[in-house]
């Protein structure tokens, strides 16, 4: 008996005629080795603009970008890195549909989040892409204001503005936080609103202990007023809120506050003359590094007037 392979999808058929000897009552096995039909993915990496950090002009070929290639079943099949010519070349890949994601940008550039799709459809095909990266700029901001002068027992309102991810890349673990001085007692949190859709939570610390949740699954587009007084939080007489933190997770480039958040507090009764400081900070992570900013507000305390000793004859 003679056998010939006619077709094997994705592989070059072995057309050599094979002789098979079949014996009664026995199973005969035949092994064919096929060479897969393959193609290749190539990526040219360039700068999208002038980079003020390294002085490289627009269109410069960039080294060090890392890409991952996934097949249509979302299995990682290859990882490639651009060389000194800006070229990242895959291994020979079987014919299929692939998605390509940039996972690391060249130094001083932001990751390009565009997901590419490549179709390898015939033997020896090379699918080539040109991918650009913008010069990396990172920064965050927050501004805090409050009363300049206060006496014990008076209301204290802290106002927060310009809370933003000013980077041209997404920041992870994004938050803003206020650290309350011992001279004030927290009463109410007004959340403000933010310009990107999403959800976040607010946590707080009592006497510097572990974070506890004040509210969760809050919408960035809605302004909430949350009770946070010692009575509302069931605090003991010797306990106080020392921190309030808004936790957003990911903050895309351009993420910013719209309506201003507020913290309403009360100055502790009987404060002596002097001053106290409230500190607000904001931050997020890019490429494993924290990007942070701090704002401080100083309030002067006018204590009770102490009469001068009476003198006379």
């Amino acid at each position: 008996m003679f056998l010939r392979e006619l077709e094997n999808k994705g592989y070059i058929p072995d057309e050599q005629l094979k002789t098979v000897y079949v014996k009664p009552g026995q199973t005969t096995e035949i092994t064919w080795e096929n060479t897969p039909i393959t193609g290749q993915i190539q990526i040219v990496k360039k700068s999208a603009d002038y980079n003020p950090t390294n002085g490289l002009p627009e269109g410069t070929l960039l080294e060090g970008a890392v890409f991952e290639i996934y097949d249509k079943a979302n299995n990682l099949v290859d990882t490639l890195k651009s060389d000194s010519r800006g070229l990242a070349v895959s291994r020979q890949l079987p014919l299929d549909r692939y998605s390509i994601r940039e996972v690391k940008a060249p130094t001083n550039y932001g990751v390009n989040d565009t997901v590419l799709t490549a179709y390898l459809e015939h033997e020896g095909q090379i699918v080539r892409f040109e991918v650009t990266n913008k010069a990396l700029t990172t920064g965050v901001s927050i501004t805090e204001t409050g009363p300049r002068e206060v006496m014990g027992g008076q209301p204290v309102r802290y106002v927060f503005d310009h809370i933003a991810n000013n980077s041209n890349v997404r920041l992870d673990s994004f938050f803003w936080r206020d650290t309350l001085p011992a001279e004030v007692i927290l009463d109410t949190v007004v959340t403000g609103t933010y310009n990107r859709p999403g959800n976040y939570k607010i946590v707080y610390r009592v006497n510097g202990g572990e974070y506890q949740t004040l509210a969760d699954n809050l919408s960035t587009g809605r302004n909430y007023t949350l009770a946070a007084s010692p009575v509302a939080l069931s605090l003991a007489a010797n306990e106080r809120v020392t921190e309030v933190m808004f936790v957003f997770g990911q903050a895309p480039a351009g993420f910013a506050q719209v309506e201003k958040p507020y913290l309403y507090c009360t100055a502790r009764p009987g404060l002596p003359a002097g001053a106290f400081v409230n500190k607000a900070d904001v931050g997020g992570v890019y490429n494993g590094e924290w990007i942070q900013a701090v704002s401080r507000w100083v309030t002067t305390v006018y204590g009770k007037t102490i009469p001068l000793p009476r003198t006379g004859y």
Side-chain angles (χ1 to χ4, degrees), residues 86-107:
L87 188 62
V89 179
S90 76
R91 63 179 179 83
Q92 292 295 318
L93 298 170
L95 304 187
D96 201 348
R97 184 187 75 235
Y98 296 94
S99 60
I100 305 103
R101 304 166 194 169
E102 182 174 333
V103 295
K104 183 179 179 182
T107 303

Side-chain angles (χ1 to χ4, degrees), residues 113-135:
D113 290 326
T114 303
V115 178
L116 307 171
T117 302
Y119 295 89
L120 295 181
E121 299 174 312
H122 57 82
E123 184 180 1
Q125 181 182 6
I126 296 175
V127 177
R128 179 174 285 206
F129 298 96
E130 182 176 295
V131 180
T132 60
N133 292 88
K134 292 183 178 180

Side-chain angles (χ1 to χ4, degrees), residues 72 101 143 172 177 209 219 234-235 241 282 310:
K72 61 186 177 185
R101 304 166 194 169
T143 302
D172 296 322
R177 170 176 55 190
S219 169
S234 301
L235 301 185
V241 175
V282 61
R310 183 184 289 255

Side-chain angles (χ1 to χ4, degrees), residues 171-192:
L171 297 182
D172 296 322
S173 304
F174 188 82
F175 75 92
W176 76 264
R177 170 176 55 190
D178 189 63
T179 303
L180 293 162
E183 289 82 357
V184 303
I185 302 169
L186 179 64
D187 296 319
T188 306
V189 176
V190 178
T191 64

Side-chain angles (χ1 to χ4, degrees), residues 44-51 54-63 83-87 106 109 130-135:
V44 178
K45 171 60 67 173
K46 292 183 178 181
S47 60
D49 52 9
Y50 169 73
N51 191 314
N54 55 25
L56 296 178
E58 177 183 350
T60 299
L61 297 171
L62 299 176
E63 181 178 4
D83 59 19
S84 59
R85 301 170 297 160
L87 188 62
Y109 290 87
E130 182 176 295
V131 180
T132 60
N133 292 88
K134 292 183 178 180

